Each structure stands twice: as C-alpha cells, then as structure tokens.
C-alpha cells in the first residue's frame, strides 16, 4: 500500500459549514440542479456522546459541488429530502448512516453502497480509503474517522476530510458498478442494497446491562443486582449529559464495585478500582445505585434469558447431535459455494440464518422447502438460489448415519468446477471454514461494516 499523500488533501479548497436557513435553501437549489446520483455521508460523535445523532451531513452531486450541513443548526431538512428523494443516494457503509439521517427526515428510496459493493465484488479490504486507492488510485490519510464531530467550531482539516468522503463517491460508484457488472454480480448488489434500505432497526435488548465487559467475574445474584443498578444509573446520567456512558464511569469500574459490594459511601469512594471522570463528582448517584442493588428483592437471574437464542454451535453436539451434523455439513457447503462465487461467506448467507435452518429444518428436506425456510429468515432471492440446493444436499448427507464425517463428504462433492474437476480454492475454503468452526465454535459475524 502506498503512503497517504498529504498534498492531495492540503490542496483542497477551504470548506464552509452551512448553518443558516438562507444558505441551506441556496444549497438545496444547487443540489437539485445537479446531475447524476447524490453522494451522502454523516458524521456522528460515537464514543463521545450518548446519542447517535448526526453532527455533520455531507452532500455532493456532479454539477453542484459539495455541501456540509450542520444538522443541529438547520433542523428541518424537508426541502433537501424533496429535492433528492427520487435520486439514487451513494453511501459508503449505508447501514451506519441511515439511522441518524432518518432522525432528521432524510430517507432515500434507492441506494448504492460502495462498502457493501466492494464486499460483493470480493475486495480483500473494503474501507473507503482502501477502495478509493484500488479503484481510483488516490490514497487518503483518513486521519479523522474517530474524531468528536460534536466539536464546535470544526477544524478545517476535519472539514476537508468530511468533504472528500462524498466528493469521491460518485466516481467510486461508477468504477465499482463496472466491476460488479463484469463479475455478473449486479443483481446481487441491487438486492443487497435494497435489503439494507428495508432493514428494520433491531429491537432494544431486554437486559442491556448484561453486556457489561468483564461480567464473567461476578458471582451471585446480589453482585449482578449491583451491576444492573449501576449500569442503569450510568445510562440515565449519560442520557442527561449526552456523554458516552464509558466516558462517565467505565464498565470495569461498575464490575469492580459490584464485586466489592461496598457497605457505605465511604467504602465506595475508597475503592481504587472505581474510576472514571464522574466516579467522584457523581458519587452520591453511584452510591444510591449500589445501595439499591444491595437491598433490592428483585434479584436478576444468574443467566440472562431476555432474548430467545440458539445455543452456541460448540454445544450442539451434546444438545442436538442431528442439528450439529446438519450445521457442519451445511457450513462446509456454503463456504465452498462462497469461494466459487468469490464472495465473503457471511454475505452469501449470514451465520445466523444458517444456524436457524440447521437447528430447525423443514420437515421434508428438498431444495424448495429449504429455500422457503431460508426466505422466511429474510434470505434474499439470490441467496436462496445460490444456497438452497447445496444446503439441502448437505442435510441429506448429514442424515445418512453411515457417513462418519458429513462435512468432509459435502466439501468434496460441492467444491468443484462445472467441468467436474475439483476447485482447489473452494475446497480449501470449505475445509478452513469447517476448521474455524471446530476451533472456536462460532462462525464469523454477519455482514458487519467497516465504515469510512
């Protein structure tokens, strides 16, 4: 990889943030007069603020230029929404930006996601900088991706960074569209883009406090009650102040206090492991939470049970041996098929979907019934077409008790070229995927994004 070229960004013209209604309406008129797709990005203050609101919204269109809006100052974006609603919006990692854009009324009807498109194209690295360098030959510094975008005024270097995030997107979109078309993956990309746009927000967790880091060291329901109470008190304070929870008191401080179970405010104050910016300034708040946890009769379960879930695959051999055989065989088959298509396996079919259909397959296993089950778990049509038959075959092999290792049999029979010769890449991928499954008991995470 070549080194970033600071001169490229340094040569950029000074960038101005639009804050007034008059400037906003002028920008909307100019964007409406432009041509082609509309590149959109948003900057949040993740890790600094409690909210996930947008603190800067960037828009670029050919013939119009780039515009950086302060959403706090602008407030109402209905004019911009009306001007571009029927156009294609170009994002890099759209799933990260869509929620905060919806909060201000900016909702696309068609998108092109260059990050997801790069995944589908089989690129090894899909961050914006990497894809820009590969397709456009431009190397960006990308130095401000983790900045606190709630800062005011925003430094000029940050604004140039933000402007480049959208100014390069239309060219990147066109180059990537050509790559996808040449690979026969245009339809796949279109279905995936539509799925991102239609995806509903995840429902809130029943017991979010159980995701505290280091919870495994706590013993007993009383310690869990203290941890729960402290987490809830921190969450309220973080919302009140719009500060990221971990920047008030970190998870480690909550766990330390829960494990120590101090009997007084003084004991809590003396606890050296109870750290954080607000650990002493809000000591009364934290002590009230500890005391509530120490005295409540509403003790939490030792194990969480708020969200229904399947057991981890490493436990399947004991708890559901038939499902274990199906899953191992199907995992090998899907991994081999992903290698043939030059796709990340998690984009061909999410691990969650594969686990669900393996744990609870249709009563009669066939391509059609497996396909219907996959579709019921939100698999896209192209995913059903590419995986239903190989999964059905894998389940049939797994049901044959005379086969000692169904994954090995499926790997050998599915990882082949149309001419019947073994496809070494697909064979290796399938074997490696199954080996990873054995090693940690957990498949790769479903379609995550890297952001910009």
């Amino acid at each position: 990889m070549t080194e970033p070229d600071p001169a490229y960004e340094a040569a950029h013209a000074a960038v101005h943030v639009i804050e007034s209604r008059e400037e906003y309406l002028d920008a909307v008129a100019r964007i409406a007069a432009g041509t082609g797709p509309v590149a959109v990005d948003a900057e949040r203050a993740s890790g600094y603020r409690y909210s996930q609101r947008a603190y800067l919204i960037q828009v670029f269109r050919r013939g119009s230029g780039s515009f950086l809006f302060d959403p706090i100052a602008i407030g109402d974006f209905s004019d911009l929404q009306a001007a571009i609603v029927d156009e294609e919006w170009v994002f890099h990692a759209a799933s990260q930006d869509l929620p905060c854009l919806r909060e201000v009324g900016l909702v696309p009807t068609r998108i092109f996601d260059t990050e997801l498109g790069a995944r589908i194209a089989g690129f090894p690295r899909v961050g914006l900088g990497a894809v820009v360098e590969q397709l456009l030959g431009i190397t960006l510094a990308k130095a401000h991706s983790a900045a606190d975008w709630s800062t005011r005024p925003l430094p000029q270097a940050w604004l140039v960074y933000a402007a480049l995030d959208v100014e390069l997107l239309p060219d990147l979109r066109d180059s990537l569209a050509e790559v996808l078309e040449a690979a026969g993956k245009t339809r796949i990309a279109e279905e995936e883009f539509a799925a991102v746009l239609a995806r509903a927000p995840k429902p809130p967790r029943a017991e979010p406090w159980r995701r505290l880091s280091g919870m495994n060291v706590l013993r007993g329901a009383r310690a869990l009650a203290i941890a729960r109470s402290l987490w809830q008190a921190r969450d309220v304070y973080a919302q009140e102040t719009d500060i990221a929870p971990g920047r008030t008191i970190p998870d480690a401080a909550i766990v330390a206090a829960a494990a120590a179970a101090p009997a007084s405010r003084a004991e809590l104050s003396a606890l050296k492991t109870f750290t954080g910016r607000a650990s002493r300034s809000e000591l009364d708040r934290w002590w009230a939470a500890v005391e509530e946890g120490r005295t409540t009769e509403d003790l939490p379960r030792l194990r969480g049970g708020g969200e229904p879930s399947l057991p981890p695959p490493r436990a399947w051999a004991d708890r559901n041996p038939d499902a274990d055989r199906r899953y191992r065989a199907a995992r090998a088959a899907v991994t081999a098929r992903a290698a043939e298509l030059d796709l990340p396996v998690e984009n061909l079919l999410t691990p969650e979907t594969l686990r669900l259909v393996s744990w609870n397959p249709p009563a009669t296993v066939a391509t059609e019934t497996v396909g219907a089950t996959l579709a019921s778990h939100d698999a896209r049509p192209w995913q059903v077409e590419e995986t239903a038959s190989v999964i059905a075959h894998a389940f049939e092999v797994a049901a044959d008790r005379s086969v000692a290792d169904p994954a090995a049999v499926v790997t050998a029979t599915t990882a082949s070229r149309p001419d019947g010769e073994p496809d070494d890449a697909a064979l290796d991928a399938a074997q490696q995927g199954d080996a990873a499954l054995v090693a940690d008991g957990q498949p790769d995470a479903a379609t995550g994004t890297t952001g910009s």
Side-chain angles (χ1 to χ4, degrees):
M1 176 178 169
T2 59
E3 291 298 317
D5 180 7
Y8 182 82
E9 297 184 29
H12 196 285
V15 179
H16 171 68
V17 178
I18 294 172
E19 299 175 327
S20 72
R21 182 73 180 169
E22 182 180 1
E23 284 187 299
Y24 161 74
L25 291 175
D26 177 65
V28 169
R30 291 166 63 186
I31 292 168
T35 59
V38 181
V40 183
D41 190 25
E43 305 294 349
R44 298 170 300 283
S46 302
Y48 296 93
R49 297 292 180 180
Y50 183 90
S51 72
Q52 289 300 304
R53 71 185 303 174
Y55 284 95
L56 190 71
I57 295 174
Q58 308 100 281
V59 177
F60 173 83
R61 195 176 191 190
R62 290 172 179 143
S64 304
S66 56
F67 304 89
L68 274 60
F69 300 100
D70 183 342
I72 311 301
I74 300 299
D76 179 12
F77 281 87
S78 58
D79 303 278
L80 179 59
Q81 170 71 9
I84 63 175
V85 64
D86 294 326
E87 307 297 338
E88 178 187 80
W89 297 18
V90 184
F91 294 89
H92 191 82
S95 62
Q96 295 187 6
D97 295 328
L98 288 172
C100 67
L101 292 173
R102 288 188 177 112
E103 285 185 6
V104 298
L106 292 174
V107 184
T109 54
R110 291 185 296 130
I111 68 169
F112 189 107
D113 187 335
T114 55
E115 191 265 358
L116 182 52
R119 287 181 182 275
I120 294 167
F123 286 18
R125 297 167 57 243
V126 296
L128 181 58
V131 181
V132 164
E133 182 175 359
Q134 181 166 342
L135 292 181
L136 304 183
I138 297 171
T139 305
L140 300 176
K142 305 301 294 176
H144 307 296
S145 58
D148 178 5
W149 291 92
S150 66
T151 300
R152 293 296 185 273
L154 287 165
Q156 184 63 207
W158 296 16
L159 297 178
V160 170
Y161 162 93
L164 286 171
D165 270 2
V166 287
E167 290 173 359
L168 297 173
L169 282 183
D171 288 347
L172 191 64
R173 176 244 181 261
D174 291 348
S175 294
L176 192 51
E178 292 178 3
V179 172
L180 292 168
E181 180 65 26
K185 294 179 176 179
T186 299
R187 178 203 165 196
I188 292 175
E190 289 173 348
E191 289 190 16
E192 289 303 287
F193 299 160
V196 169
L197 195 54
R199 189 172 297 145
K202 290 184 178 181
R205 292 180 175 273
E207 296 179 307
W209 60 272
R210 289 189 184 270
R211 293 180 63 81
L212 282 164
S213 299
M215 282 275 288
N216 58 303
V217 305
L218 298 182
R219 298 291 179 265
R222 186 60 63 188
L224 293 179
I226 296 173
R228 176 183 64 188
S229 186
L230 276 169
W231 184 95
Q232 292 169 342
R234 182 183 70 172
D235 196 61
V236 169
Y237 177 65
Q239 287 190 61
E240 291 174 352
T241 57
D242 194 21
I243 298 173
R247 299 177 79 83
T248 59
I249 52 173
D251 286 6
I254 290 179
V255 172
S264 68
R265 182 183 183 279
E267 283 189 21
L268 177 62
S269 179
L271 191 63
K272 292 183 179 179
T273 50
F274 189 67
T275 60
R277 297 181 181 181
S279 61
R280 299 303 181 271
S281 62
E282 293 292 322
L283 191 62
D284 288 342
R285 181 189 299 267
W286 312 133
W287 167 241
V290 170
E291 195 167 34
E292 178 186 349
R294 291 179 67 249
T295 58
T296 183
E297 296 181 2
D298 179 24
L299 293 175
R301 297 179 300 274
L302 293 179
R303 293 183 179 274
E307 292 95 13
S309 61
L310 298 178
R314 62 178 173 271
W316 287 23
D318 293 328
R319 299 182 63 173
N320 191 338
D322 290 339
D324 182 62
R325 285 171 61 86
R326 285 191 296 268
Y327 180 64
R328 289 176 182 275
R331 168 75 177 182
V334 171
T335 301
R337 185 63 185 137
E340 292 173 345
L341 295 170
D342 191 21
L343 285 168
V345 65
E346 65 271 17
N347 286 102
L348 177 56
L349 194 68
T350 67
E352 180 184 11
T353 299
L354 187 57
R355 288 195 293 267
L356 288 168
V357 72
S358 299
W359 186 266
N360 189 20
T364 302
V365 172
T367 297
E368 294 76 15
T369 58
V370 169
T373 304
L374 292 172
S376 73
H377 294 305
D378 296 327
R380 267 71 74 193
W382 78 268
Q383 293 176 317
V384 172
E385 291 173 14
E386 295 292 352
T387 63
S389 62
V390 297
I391 292 173
H393 172 65
F395 285 1
E396 291 169 356
V397 174
D400 185 351
R401 288 294 171 178
S402 67
V403 176
D405 187 354
V409 171
V410 167
T411 297
T413 58
T414 59
S416 61
R417 302 190 189 100
D419 59 9
E421 292 298 318
D423 183 336
D424 292 337
L427 186 64
D428 290 345
Q431 290 171 340
Q432 289 169 7
D434 195 51
L437 173 65
V438 173
D440 63 12
Q442 290 286 7
D444 297 334
T447 50
T449 54
T450 62
S452 61

